[in-house]
Amino acid sequence: EVHLLESGGTLVQPGGSLRLSCAASGFTFSSYALAWVRQAPGKGLEWVSGIRNSGGNSGGNTYYADSVKGRFTISRDNSENTLYLQMNSLRAEDTAIYYCARLLGGSAASRPLDCWGQGTLVTVSS
Amino acid sequence: DIVMTQSPDSLAVSLGERATVNCKSSQSLLYSSNNKNYLAWYQQKPGQPPKLLIYWASTRESGVPDRFSGGGSGTDFTLTISSLQAEDVAVYYCQQYYGAPPYTFGQGTKLEIK
């Protein structure tokens, strides 16, 4: 069974940094593109970042929403079956549940999200 | 970025009746080389992550009941629940995954029982 488990969410001050992790199991991690999607409290879904697979341990092309470009960095460790999101210069508007998700069908970027974790809550507040 | 607009924002339907959610994109999601519409639908129940229901605008994900169907092409799409069940109460989102990211979502449609 496919399983994605996010961790690392916590309360952080504005301007601070945080790294989220997503541990994957139940599928060939290195063969799939992955993404982070966030949901502010009581709001809708926002696609944040994506990463394709590639040969080797560290993944391929990366993509970002304009709202996080230059502040967030997505990465993956295929040897550890783990996806990461490094979040710097955090703002109050980054407060949200952050979900990691797998793209349907493998390595292509233009695919929907077929498996989701339960999410981890990031709160940016002083 | 492609803007996705859903209507209505909320919808109340009687049990056993049909529910329809609309989604409009700011540009065509139809890729001419493969004749596929790069549009998906998700269901999100309270306290849960979203669940993929439909992709390529009309292909049901494995395990999704056949009362859920997707239609449309180009810029206008619909999600239809043919006979509403109590367990279908949720927020429904459309998402485009055309071309390069970001793959934007609609604002969501809240479906309730009348």
Side-chain angles (χ1 to χ4, degrees), chain A residues 6 9-10 12 27-28 32-33 36 38 43 50-51 58 61 68 70 93 101 103 108 110 117:
Chain A
E6 303 92 339
T10 189
V12 61
F27 65 101
T28 305
Y32 283 82
W36 289 97
R38 68 184 180 184
K43 302 297 184 183
I51 185 168
S58 59
N61 293 354
V68 307
E93 55 264 37
L103 276 70
S110 296

Side-chain angles (χ1 to χ4, degrees), chain B residues 49-70:
Chain B
K51 173 188 173 183
L52 177 64
L53 295 177
I54 304 278
Y55 56 96
W56 302 130
S58 61
T59 301
R60 256 190 314 274
E61 172 73 323
S62 175
V64 173
D66 61 7
R67 65 180 180 272
F68 290 90
S69 63

Side-chain angles (χ1 to χ4, degrees), chain A residues 39 47 63 99 109-110 113 116-117, chain B residues 42 44 49-50 93 97 99 101 103:
Chain A
Q39 186 168 36
W47 186 94
Y63 309 92
Y99 296 102
S110 296
L113 303 165
W116 297 63
Chain B
Y42 300 85
Q44 187 178 32
Y93 295 93
Y97 49 98
Y103 297 134

Side-chain angles (χ1 to χ4, degrees), chain A residues 11-121:
Chain A
L11 173 64
V12 61
Q13 291 191 336
S17 297
L18 202 59
R19 188 176 83 157
L20 305 183
S21 301
C22 173
S25 60
F27 65 101
T28 305
F29 181 82
S30 60
S31 296
Y32 283 82
L34 302 159
W36 289 97
V37 174
R38 68 184 180 184
Q39 186 168 36
K43 302 297 184 183
L45 302 170
E46 181 185 13
W47 186 94
V48 172
S49 182
I51 185 168
R52 296 186 67 173
N53 66 327
S54 77
N57 283 338
S58 59
N61 293 354
T62 58
Y63 309 92
Y64 300 93
D66 287 346
S67 57
V68 307
K69 201 171 294 182
R71 301 187 299 123
F72 290 12
T73 303
I74 191 172
S75 62
R76 63 192 295 166
D77 185 337
N78 290 338
S79 67
E80 295 289 333
N81 290 353
T82 302
L83 176 70
Y84 300 102
L85 186 67
Q86 178 66 43
M87 310 163 67
N88 298 331
S89 302
L90 283 161
R91 307 166 179 166
E93 55 264 37
D94 296 319
T95 294
I97 296 172
Y98 284 74
Y99 296 102
C100 72
R102 186 184 79 168
L103 276 70
L104 177 71
S107 61
S110 296
R111 294 293 184 270
L113 303 165
D114 69 340
C115 298
W116 297 63
Q118 290 296 314
T120 188
L121 177 62

